[in-house]
């Protein structure tokens, strides 16, 4: 009668893992508890060694259970995390013949198993003076010393233990896996697996009696596999040993008993410190034991080909015998031994002489093999063994029927389709090697009960719910031998193509800086990932990328080569050819790189001439720079005029950056787009030459982690006329004033730069103002220049590192100083990114541009200027506009206030002007929620106003 199939052709390591952890095929890892209860040990949960070892509050250590276990009790050892119990355990408590004590390792719900390993020099497990004890399915990890020692004990069963070596260097093999001392008796060692690392597998000492060692697997002991010394009534039966370096089985010291059905293999190894005796006989029986030992039906697997043994097979009563025939002829022992063949630690191959040739009546012969499979009759081999069944295989493993599937057989069709998906499985492809009828059972993997049918009848099924399913077929012969086969994945698709979504944001680093042209696109996992065939992300700039099907939220980076608005499109294709798309708009923009201002040596530009500023001059040759924030100082003008800064090599726009007059120094800040190599042209719109000096105060880059801009409603930080800012008196000529900007009006202490409108008024002598980073000597930028009595305003960008700036009055006379906050640069949160545009005049009251009518801005009147939705500026999401304001030839003196529409007009200066003198300056101004900026004329006469747009700031992240 055939029964469930054993492992065939597996390595010992696989057998150990599969056999021990499955209870060696017994169907249950829990030992029979007898008349007692169960004590639990589990160190991976809340536990207590002072408790009673319940499942809810188990012992923390095995020793704690060993100290209180009673006859009939079972000690169940668990570890959900697969930990090893690091302790040396000694058992001194006994059971009875009717109620033995049992120790067993049990799998946790997640399949993890616990192990034992002693940290010190003591054995891992000691049975001391005990009787009627069973150890079953425990894992003992090799620690370089004895693992299990029985001393002064009797009526022990050591069943299905695994002695496992952890990965690591080979120390040559020390210690013994199982030791039975000379005061112990009636010990059964069965179906254990002893891996490499030990000097001895099983040793019995002088005086031990009635020790049965049966159906064990022992791999590569250094000094001996099974060694019995002075042991009466030993039975060594159906063991499989690989013993290349030592005797497989040895009896000495007057031992008595039987040696039957064993298989000892001898792979060839060279002598070394870890393999001291590669020529030692496989079986050794000493002179004082030979007359009391029966040896038969064993195997000396001492060759892998041909007939020449690799080493002597027997040493009997002091005489060596090279072959089984030589032993038989000389002693009469081993009458049915087999040699001249190769064997491994696994079930014998079909047609092997080891099959159905063992003595089924040998002492200690078990009804199951080392893997828990029954001893069965192979119909392809004639029975040659004695005993009542004559169908036992030699060694620890029994050959079972195998069920094979031809290549490409066992198909399930169709495997893909939209629900409801009807499919079927063929049941005529599998073959029993022993020719037995087969039954097919298919688990379709969707939670429905398996469907069973005999061979030849297809098995149909309908998948009602969308999903990906793993179907499995199990084929079983009439005697219970089975083989399982998994089909390729079944995909039952949704009625409609799965949705797909896409979002994107500019990437930020851990410090909060943004790389505004580096998009980080997010692709969430599909609601039906099993039916997705592929995804392609088109970035909208002519490039695309194929994506793997996301198993979670997927993020894809893409660096855009230039600022602009890009529509990224994600196209998803499913297994049925259906496509779904998702889109998002990404505004590749710029972040601000603050620079320490360094003025280039003044250069003279001829009338209507052009000065070319290189990337090296502007320090704009770094990665991804699209625009530079510059300060221009004009001196020595021969005639009145203006300067226009624009991208080198492009058509000069009809805008102006700074105005100048003979005999006066003029200063202005501006933002200008640069070429891909970082160059800028400066045009002198005057009929006379002028000398200019240029300093870079910042760069706008789409390919560097840098700062975002935070525009604010203009706010006054300093006014020495009123005491705002802490000083209420004019600043004397040649003196400085330190102003705190960090930590006030929403500017954080760690801001990297601030934007200020600085004004000098009630000036007592001509001069100029500089603004510098506090605590440095090389970071000053020029503020306004003035003549005696003039009010002058300039917007400046100045780096800060401690939240303070220094204003220095470079005049010989005193002046009241005013500083108004326009915004600050710093970390990304709630900040804005810069989008440069081609300079364009968006307001000209002389032509009606920007207002729709030709009319000056009246005194104390307000003009509304729309800056969004045109000239490359987005219609939404704009937080600030970068403008140059000009008041040409005003008929009176005064100043403009630029502020966001829809807010109260602040009391600040944006651009001051003096009667008869054209004034120009930068105004980086926050935009109202309606996309408009208000310009208020605080002068006493009407004036014309020009506004030139240089770029805009968009809320971060700049996507839609």
């Amino acid at each position: 009668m055939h029964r469930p199939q054993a492992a065939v052709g597996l390595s010992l390591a696989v057998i150990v893992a599969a056999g021990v952890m499955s209870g060696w095929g017994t169907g249950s890892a829990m030992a029979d508890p007898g008349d007692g209860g169960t004590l639990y040990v589990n160190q991976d949960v809340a536990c207590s060694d002072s408790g009673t070892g319940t499942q809810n509050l188990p012992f923390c250590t095995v020793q704690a259970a060993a100290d209180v276990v009673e006859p009939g009790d079972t000690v169940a050892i668990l570890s959900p995390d697969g930990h090893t119990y690091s302790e040396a355990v000694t058992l001194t408590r006994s059971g009875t013949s009717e109620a033995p004590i049992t120790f067993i390792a049990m799998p946790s719900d997640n399949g993890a198993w616990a192990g034992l390993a002693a940290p010190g020099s003591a054995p891992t497990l000691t049975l001391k003076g005990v009787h009627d004890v069973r150890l079953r399915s425990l894992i003992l990890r090799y620690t370089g010393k004895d693992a299990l020692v029985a001393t002064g004990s009797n009526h022990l069963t050591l069943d299905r233990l695994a002695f496992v070596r952890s990965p690591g260097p080979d120390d040559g093999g020390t210690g013994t896996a199982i030791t039975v001392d000379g005061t112990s008796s009636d010990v059964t060692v069965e179906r254990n697996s002893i891996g490499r690392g030990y000097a001895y597998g099983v040793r019995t000492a002088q005086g031990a009696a009635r020790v049965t060692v049966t159906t064990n697997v022992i791999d590569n002991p250094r000094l001996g596999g099974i060694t019995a010394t002075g042991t009466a009534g030993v039975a060594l039966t159906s063991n499989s040993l690989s013993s290349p370096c030592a005797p497989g089985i040895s009896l000495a010291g007057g031992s008595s008993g039987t040696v039957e059905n064993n298989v000892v293999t001898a792979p060839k190894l060279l002598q070394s410190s870890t393999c001291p005796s590669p020529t030692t006989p496989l079986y050794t029986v000493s002179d004082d034991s030979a007359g009391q030992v029966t040896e038969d039906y064993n195997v000396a697997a001492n060759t892998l080909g041909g007939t020449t043994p690799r080493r002597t097979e027997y040493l009997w009563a002091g005489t060596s015998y090279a072959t089984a025939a030589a032993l038989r002829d000389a002693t009469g022992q081993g009458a049915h031994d087999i040699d001249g063949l190769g064997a491994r630690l696994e079930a014998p191959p079909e047609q092997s002489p080891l099959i159905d040739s063992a003595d089924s009546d040998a002492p200690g012969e078990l009804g199951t093999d080392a893997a828990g499979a029954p001893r069965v009759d192979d119909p392809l081999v004639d029975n040659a063994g004695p005993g009542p069944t004559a169908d036992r295989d030699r060694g620890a493993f029994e050959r079972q029927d195998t069920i094979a599937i031809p290549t490409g057989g066992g198909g399930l069709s169709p495997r893909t389709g939209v629900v409801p998906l009807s499919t079927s499985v063929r049941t005529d492809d599998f073959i029993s090697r022993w020719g037995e009828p087969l039954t097919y059972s298919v688990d379709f993997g969707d939670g429905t009960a398996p469907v069973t049918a005999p061979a030849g009848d297809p098995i149909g099924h309908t998948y009602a719910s969308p999903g990906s399913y793993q179907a499995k077929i199990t084929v079983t012969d009439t005697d219970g031998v089975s083989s399982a086969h998994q089909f390729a994945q079944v995909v039952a698709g949704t009625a409609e193509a799965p949705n797909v979504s896409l979002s994107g944001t500019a990437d930020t680093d851990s410090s909060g800086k943004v790389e505004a042209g580096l998009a980080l696109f997010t692709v969430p996992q599909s609601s039906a990932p099993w039916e997705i065939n592929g995804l392609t992300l088109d970035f909208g700039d002519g490039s695309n990328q194929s994506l793997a099907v996301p198993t979670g939220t997927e993020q894809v980076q893409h660096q855009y080569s230039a600022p602009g608005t890009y529509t990224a499109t994600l196209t998803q294709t499913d297994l049925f050819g259906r496509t779904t798309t998702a889109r998002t708009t990404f505004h590749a923009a710029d972040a601000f790189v603050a620079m320490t201002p360094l003025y280039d040596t003044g250069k003279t530009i001829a009338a209507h001439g052009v000065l070319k500023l290189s990337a090296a001059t502007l320090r704009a040759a770094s990665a991804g720079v699209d625009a530079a924030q510059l300060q221009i100082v004009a001196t020595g003008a021969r005639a009145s005029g203006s300067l226009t800064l624009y991208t080198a090599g492009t058509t000069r726009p009809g805008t102006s950056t700074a105005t100048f007059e003979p005999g006066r120094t003029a200063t202005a800040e501006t933002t200008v787009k640069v070429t891909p190599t970082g160059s800028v042209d400066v045009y002198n719109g005057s009929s006379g030459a002028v000398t200019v000096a240029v300093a870079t105060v910042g760069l706008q880059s789409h390919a560097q982690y840098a700062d975002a801009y935070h525009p604010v409603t203009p706010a006054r930080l300093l006014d020495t006329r009123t005491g705002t800012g802490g000083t209420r008196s004019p600043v004397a000529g040649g003196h400085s004033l330190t102003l705190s900007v960090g930590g006030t009006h929403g500017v954080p202490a760690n801001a990297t730069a601030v934007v200020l409108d600085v004004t000098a008024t009630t000036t007592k002598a001509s001069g100029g103002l500089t603004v510098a980073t506090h605590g440095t000597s090389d970071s000053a930028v020029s503020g306004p220049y003035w003549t005696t009595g003039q009010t002058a305003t300039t917007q400046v960008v100045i780096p800060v590192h401690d939240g303070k700036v220094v204003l220095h009055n470079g005049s010989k006379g005193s002046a009241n100083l005013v500083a108004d906050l326009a915004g600050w640069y710093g970390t990304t949160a709630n900040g804005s990114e810069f989008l440069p545009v081609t300079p364009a005049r968006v307001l000209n009251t002389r032509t009606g541009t920007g207002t729709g009518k030709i009319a000056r801005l009246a005194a104390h009147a307000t003009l509304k200027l729309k800056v969004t939705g045109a000239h490359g500026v987005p219609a939404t999401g704009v937080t600030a506009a970068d403008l140059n304001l000009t008041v040409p030839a005003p008929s009176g003196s005064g100043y403009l206030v630029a502020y966001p529409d829809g807010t109260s007009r602040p009391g600040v200066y944006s651009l001051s002007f003096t009667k008869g003198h054209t004034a120009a300056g930068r105004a980086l101004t926050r935009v109202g929620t309606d996309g408009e900026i208000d310009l208020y004329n605080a002068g006493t006469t009407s004036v014309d106003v020009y506004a030139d747009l240089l770029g805009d700031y968009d809320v971060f992240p700049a996507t839609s």
Side-chain angles (χ1 to χ4, degrees):
M1 187 70 171
H2 310 311
R3 290 294 182 264
Q5 181 180 3
V8 178
L10 299 179
S11 69
L12 176 63
V14 175
I15 293 167
V16 170
V20 171
M21 293 186 180
S22 65
W24 292 115
T26 62
S28 173
M30 171 64 81
D32 297 330
D35 294 330
T38 300
L39 305 179
Y40 292 90
V41 181
N42 190 346
Q43 65 179 353
D44 293 338
V45 299
C47 59
S48 172
D49 279 347
S50 60
T52 57
T54 64
Q55 190 168 10
N56 292 332
L57 186 62
F59 293 120
C60 300
T61 64
V62 179
Q63 186 62 60
D67 290 342
V68 299
V69 66
E70 297 286 349
D73 284 349
T74 294
V75 176
I77 307 168
L78 301 94
S79 176
D81 293 334
H83 292 160
T84 296
Y85 286 82
S86 181
E87 54 178 308
V89 178
T90 299
L91 177 66
T92 59
R93 301 172 72 85
S94 298
T96 67
S97 59
E98 294 80 16
I101 286 174
T102 300
F103 281 71
I104 184 170
M106 295 181 63
S108 299
D109 292 340
N110 63 0
W113 291 73
L116 288 174
S121 59
T124 297
L125 184 56
T126 300
L127 305 178
K128 186 175 182 179
V130 302
H131 58 83
D132 295 293
V133 172
R134 297 187 296 182
L135 304 182
R136 181 172 164 187
S137 300
L138 300 177
I139 300 174
L140 286 83
R141 302 197 181 278
Y142 174 75
T143 57
K145 54 185 176 294
D146 292 348
L148 189 156
V149 175
T151 175
S153 299
N154 59 77
H155 293 95
L156 308 178
T157 300
L158 312 180
D159 183 19
R160 285 165 280 191
L161 309 181
F163 298 81
V164 180
R165 180 185 181 90
S166 300
D170 191 346
D171 60 7
T174 57
T176 299
I178 298 175
T179 299
V180 179
D181 84 333
T183 61
S184 297
S185 63
D186 299 293
V187 178
T188 299
V189 180
E190 61 184 25
R191 293 179 294 189
N192 299 291
S193 173
I194 300 174
R196 299 181 179 215
Y198 291 95
Y200 294 93
V202 179
R203 292 179 77 183
T204 64
Q206 188 78 38
R210 298 178 300 282
V211 178
T212 300
V213 183
T214 178
T215 321
N216 299 281
V217 182
I218 302 174
D219 186 22
N220 196 18
R222 180 169 176 261
L223 300 178
I226 302 173
T227 300
T229 302
T231 303
V234 69
L236 310 182
T237 305
S238 294
N239 300 287
S240 289
L241 304 94
S242 176
S243 190
C245 300
I249 293 177
S250 299
L251 288 87
S255 295
S256 63
T258 60
V259 181
E260 290 197 63
N261 301 343
N262 301 285
V263 177
V264 179
T265 68
K268 184 178 181 181
L269 289 179
L270 297 177
Q271 186 172 9
S272 67
S273 60
T274 60
C275 187
S277 303
T279 60
T280 303
L282 304 184
Y283 294 88
T284 299
V285 179
S286 66
D287 182 63
D288 57 6
S289 302
Q292 306 171 92
V293 173
T294 300
E295 191 276 346
D296 205 358
Y297 295 95
N298 297 294
V299 177
N302 194 19
T303 181
L304 293 180
T307 58
T308 303
R310 287 183 169 175
R311 71 196 211 210
T312 298
E313 295 177 349
Y314 302 91
L315 178 63
W316 191 274
T319 302
S320 296
Y321 299 97
T323 64
L327 174 68
R328 180 174 58 251
D329 292 344
T331 67
Q333 296 284 347
H336 303 91
D337 281 11
I338 300 173
D339 59 9
L341 78 167
R344 302 180 185 277
L345 297 182
E346 59 190 30
E350 197 64 78
Q351 303 298 329
S352 168
L354 278 63
I355 298 175
D356 293 351
S357 65
D359 180 4
S360 61
D361 204 25
E365 179 72 16
L366 301 178
T368 57
D369 71 357
R375 299 291 190 173
V376 296
D377 183 10
D378 185 343
L380 304 182
V381 177
D382 292 335
N383 294 345
T389 59
D391 59 1
R392 303 293 174 90
D393 297 350
R394 305 190 192 199
F397 297 103
E398 186 82 0
R399 179 71 193 184
Q400 306 288 318
D401 185 15
T402 56
I403 299 174
I405 179 172
T407 302
L412 182 151
S413 179
R415 290 189 297 104
T416 60
V418 174
V419 293
L421 171 61
S422 295
T423 186
S424 64
V425 179
R426 298 195 308 271
T427 60
D428 55 3
D429 292 318
F430 288 81
I431 300 171
S432 163
R433 297 297 187 191
W434 290 359
E436 299 200 359
L438 301 176
T439 299
Y440 292 71
S441 178
V442 181
D443 182 346
F444 287 93
D446 59 353
T448 58
V451 181
T452 301
D457 297 338
I459 298 176
H461 181 71
T462 297
Y463 289 96
S465 300
S468 176
Y469 304 102
Q470 182 68 71
K472 182 176 74 172
I473 186 169
T474 301
V475 184
T476 307
D477 68 12
T478 54
D479 295 317
V481 174
S482 62
S483 176
H485 172 74
Q486 284 190 331
F487 297 111
Q489 210 78 6
V490 179
V491 177
T494 54
E496 302 292 336
N499 291 331
V500 64
S501 63
L502 178 69
S503 60
T505 184
D507 194 29
T508 55
D509 66 9
S510 58
S511 68
K513 293 182 180 296
V514 60
E515 187 167 341
L518 179 60
L520 188 63
F521 292 105
T522 299
V523 182
Q525 181 178 350
S526 171
S527 59
W530 60 85
E531 66 180 289
I532 306 305
N533 189 48
L535 300 98
T536 301
L537 180 55
D538 186 322
F539 298 108
D541 60 353
S543 63
N544 61 72
Q545 180 178 334
S546 296
L547 308 181
V549 178
T551 56
T553 299
E554 187 82 10
Q555 291 191 319
V556 181
Q557 281 189 337
H558 181 69
Q559 179 70 65
Y560 286 94
S561 61
T565 299
Y566 301 92
T567 299
T569 303
L570 179 65
T571 301
Q572 176 179 274
T573 305
D574 68 13
L575 293 174
F576 314 110
R578 302 175 298 187
T579 60
T580 311
T581 59
R583 292 179 175 84
T584 189
T585 300
F586 182 80
H587 301 289
D590 288 319
F592 179 75
V593 182
M595 307 285 285
T596 300
L598 298 175
Y599 284 90
D600 183 45
T601 304
K603 293 182 173 62
T604 299
I605 311 175
H608 304 295
V610 175
L611 170 65
K612 294 188 175 295
L613 301 176
S614 67
T617 298
L618 300 178
R619 296 185 291 162
S622 57
V625 173
D626 299 304
Q629 290 197 22
L630 307 176
Q631 184 173 77
I632 312 297
V633 180
T635 58
R638 300 294 181 87
S640 298
S642 63
L643 297 173
T644 300
L645 277 71
Y646 58 100
T647 309
T650 65
T651 301
R652 184 176 74 250
T655 59
S656 63
T657 302
T659 60
F660 51 85
E661 298 175 357
R664 292 191 175 195
T665 298
T667 182
E669 286 199 5
T670 190
T671 303
V672 58
K673 289 178 68 176
V674 300
T675 66
T677 59
S679 301
V680 168
D681 286 350
V682 183
Y683 172 71
N684 175 11
S686 170
S687 59
V690 65
T691 299
V692 298
V694 179
T696 301
V697 298
L699 300 173
Q700 298 285 2
S701 171
H702 66 268
Q704 298 182 52
Y705 287 102
D707 293 316
Y709 181 56
H710 299 256
V712 301
T713 299
R716 181 143 293 174
L717 303 181
L718 172 70
D719 191 336
T720 60
R721 298 170 299 182
T722 63
T724 301
T727 300
R728 186 169 185 169
S729 62
V731 178
H735 285 70
S736 299
L737 180 152
T738 298
L739 175 65
S740 294
V741 292
T744 183
H745 291 82
V747 181
N750 63 349
T752 56
V754 294
V755 182
L756 301 175
D757 286 306
V758 290
T759 301
T761 188
T762 59
T763 54
K764 301 302 183 181
S766 61
L769 179 69
T770 59
V771 184
T773 303
H774 181 252
T776 64
S777 59
D778 59 354
S779 63
V781 294
S782 296
Y785 286 83
W786 60 82
T787 58
T788 303
Q790 180 187 4
T791 296
T793 301
T794 296
Q795 188 172 90
V796 298
V797 176
I798 186 70
V800 291
H801 62 77
D802 62 358
K804 299 176 182 179
V805 296
V806 178
L807 285 72
H808 178 73
N809 178 6
S811 171
K812 293 182 179 180
S814 65
N816 277 300
L817 303 182
V818 179
D820 300 319
L821 176 68
W824 55 275
Y825 291 96
T827 54
T828 304
N830 301 315
S832 300
E833 305 164 336
F834 181 66
L835 288 171
V837 300
T838 299
R841 181 149 290 175
V842 294
L843 173 65
N844 186 337
T845 57
R846 289 180 174 178
T847 64
T849 299
T851 61
K853 61 180 180 179
I854 299 173
R856 287 188 171 193
L857 177 57
H860 307 298
T862 301
L863 177 154
K864 295 181 183 294
L865 176 62
K866 182 79 168 179
V867 294
T868 59
H871 305 288
V873 179
T876 59
V878 177
T879 60
D882 196 345
L883 303 171
N884 276 344
L885 299 178
T886 302
V887 176
S891 58
S893 298
Y895 60 91
L896 295 179
V897 180
Y899 61 100
D901 186 50
T903 65
S904 299
R905 184 177 74 248
V908 299
Y909 294 97
S910 298
L911 177 67
S912 298
F913 51 86
T914 303
K915 179 179 179 180
H917 299 280
T918 297
R922 185 192 190 199
L924 182 49
T925 306
R926 184 180 169 191
V927 175
T929 56
D930 57 2
E932 294 184 347
I933 289 173
D934 289 352
L935 295 174
Y936 172 73
N937 178 7
T940 58
T941 61
S942 61
V943 294
D944 281 309
V945 182
Y946 306 153
D948 299 327
L949 178 68
L950 306 174
D952 62 271
Y953 283 87
D954 291 347
V955 65
F956 175 87
T959 56
S960 58

